[in-house]
C-alpha cells in the first residue's frame, strides 16, 4: 500500500494515459466493426473495455509494487549479511 501512496502522482498521470489508450483502441476496434459490418457496434463494449483496461493497469501496478518490495527486502537482508561477514572477516 505504501508503494501506491508514494507514487500517487505517477499513478494519476499514468491512469489518464491508460484511459486514453484504452478508449482509443476500443473506439478503433468498434469503429472498424461498424464500418466493415463485421459484428455489432455497441457503446457498452467501449465502456467495458475502458474499465477493464484501467482495472488491469491497477492490478499490474499493485503486483509490481508487491514484488518490488519483496525484492528490496531480500536485497537489504543480503547486504546486511555481506557487510557483517566482511566486518567479521577482518
Amino acid at each position: 500500500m505504501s508503494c501506491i501512496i508514494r507514487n500517487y502522482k505517477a499513478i494519476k498521470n499514468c491512469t489518464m494515459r491508460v484511459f486514453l489508450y484504452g478508449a482509443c483502441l476500443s473506439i478503433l476496434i468498434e469503429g472498424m466493426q461498424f464500418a466493415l459490418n463485421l459484428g455489432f457496434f455497441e457503446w457498452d463494449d467501449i465502456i467495458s473495455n475502458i474499465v477493464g483496461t484501467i482495472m488491469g493497469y491497477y492490478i499490474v501496478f499493485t503486483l509490481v509494487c508487491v514484488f518490488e518490495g519483496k525484492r528490496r527486502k531480500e536485497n537489504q537482508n543480503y547486504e546486511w549479511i555481506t557487510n557483517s561477514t566482511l566486518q567479521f572477516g577482518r
Side-chain angles (χ1 to χ4, degrees), residues 16-29:
M16 189 56 137
R17 211 176 310 156
V18 168
F19 171 79
L20 291 174
Y21 289 148
C24 289
L25 186 62
S26 184
I27 290 170
L28 177 72
I29 292 170

Side-chain angles (χ1 to χ4, degrees), residues 79-90:
E79 287 174 8
W80 179 79
I81 291 170
T82 306
N83 291 337
S84 62
T85 305
L86 291 174
Q87 289 174 359
F88 288 121
R90 291 181 183 180

Side-chain angles (χ1 to χ4, degrees), residues 5 19 24-26 39 41 47 49 51 54 60-61 69 71 74 76 78-79 81 84 86 90:
I5 293 170
F19 171 79
C24 289
L25 186 62
S26 184
F41 176 83
I47 295 168
N49 291 339
V51 169
I54 293 173
V60 168
F61 185 82
R71 191 176 312 138
E74 289 173 2
Q76 287 174 351
Y78 180 73
E79 287 174 8
I81 291 170
S84 62
L86 291 174
R90 291 181 183 180

Side-chain angles (χ1 to χ4, degrees), residues 49-64:
N49 291 339
I50 293 170
V51 169
T53 302
I54 293 173
M55 287 174 54
Y57 169 72
Y58 280 121
I59 290 170
V60 168
F61 185 82
T62 303
L63 289 174
V64 166

